[in-house]
């Protein structure tokens, strides 16, 4: 599986990428929606996009549709933020996955 993480790899997203790699996924990362689109346009494909819920998921999904790029989008955020989850799903994300907070 090829996973493209869209957002910063610091904190919880970094931990999620390590888990994915340990389970055999090939993980790439893009800091922004535009960087993710550029990576996909350049031929670096992905089987799944894992997107920080704080980014503009609606714009990403619209751009993917416009460019006929068919990749499932999963929104991720820290904890179970119901409002963010609903907004992401309404924007077109297939799912919202809460990431656990890092223990302090």
């Amino acid at each position: 599986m090829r996973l493209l993480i869209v957002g910063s790899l610091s904190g919880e997203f970094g931990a999620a990428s390590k888990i994915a790699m340990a389970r055999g996924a090939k993980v790439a990362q893009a800091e922004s929606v535009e960087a993710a689109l550029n990576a996909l346009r350049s031929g670096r494909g992905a089987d799944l996009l894992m997107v920080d819920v704080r980014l503009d998921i609606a714009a990403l999904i619209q751009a993917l549709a416009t460019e006929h790029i068919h990749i499932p989008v999963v929104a991720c955020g820290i904890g179970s933020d119901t409002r963010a989850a609903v907004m992401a799903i309404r924007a077109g994300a297939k799912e919202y996955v809460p990431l656990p907070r890092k223990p302090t």
Side-chain angles (χ1 to χ4, degrees):
M1 171 188 260
R2 299 169 300 160
L3 174 65
L4 177 59
I5 295 178
V6 185
S8 173
L9 280 181
S10 64
E12 291 77 8
F13 282 93
S17 71
K18 289 177 185 173
I19 291 168
M21 287 187 290
R23 295 189 176 165
K26 293 182 181 180
V27 178
Q29 186 262 344
E31 285 286 330
S32 66
V33 167
E34 191 59 39
L37 290 169
N38 287 336
L40 295 169
R41 289 178 190 129
S42 72
R44 290 186 8 217
D47 299 311
L48 179 69
L49 298 180
M50 186 172 150
V51 184
D52 188 331
V53 74
R54 296 174 292 181
L55 297 177
D56 191 349
I57 292 174
L60 172 62
I61 290 172
Q62 180 61 44
L64 292 172
T66 299
E67 297 187 34
H68 304 287
I69 300 172
H70 304 286
I71 301 171
V73 174
V74 173
C76 299
I78 300 167
S80 55
D81 181 347
T82 305
R83 183 171 178 261
V86 168
M87 288 176 62
I89 299 297
R90 285 185 179 158
K94 299 294 181 194
E95 191 171 338
Y96 175 82
V97 176
L99 300 175
R101 295 187 187 277
K102 287 178 75 172
T104 54

